[in-house]
Amino acid sequence: MAGSAHGHTPAAWTGVIISFIGFCIAGIFMVAANVAGFWAGMAVIALGGVVGLAMKVAGMGMPKESEEVAAARAEASAKARG
């Protein structure tokens, strides 16, 4: 797992931070029994996903792994197991 960079991209961090803010907003308004505020928080959560996806499409996410790299990774893993 040390060689994995799962989620360590600007797109991932931005999407998660925006969604976390949305969860906080929704949680506060749920406790306050304010339906409109709760749904506003839910909209911010969805916005986090959209922003993260848009940033990934713009090239700020993880690049796709080529078939050669995937094959080399599988071969190295098989050798490591014995």
Side-chain angles (χ1 to χ4, degrees), residues 1-6:
M1 293 304 287
S4 176
H6 178 73

Side-chain angles (χ1 to χ4, degrees), residues 4-59:
S4 176
H6 178 73
H8 296 278
T9 65
W13 279 101
T14 304
V16 167
I17 289 169
I18 292 171
S19 295
F20 177 73
I21 292 168
F23 277 111
C24 291
I25 292 169
I28 289 168
F29 282 109
M30 186 168 60
V31 171
N34 184 322
V35 176
F38 169 78
W39 285 110
M42 296 301 285
V44 173
I45 294 169
L47 178 68
V50 171
V51 169
L53 183 62
M55 288 179 71
K56 180 180 177 185
V57 169

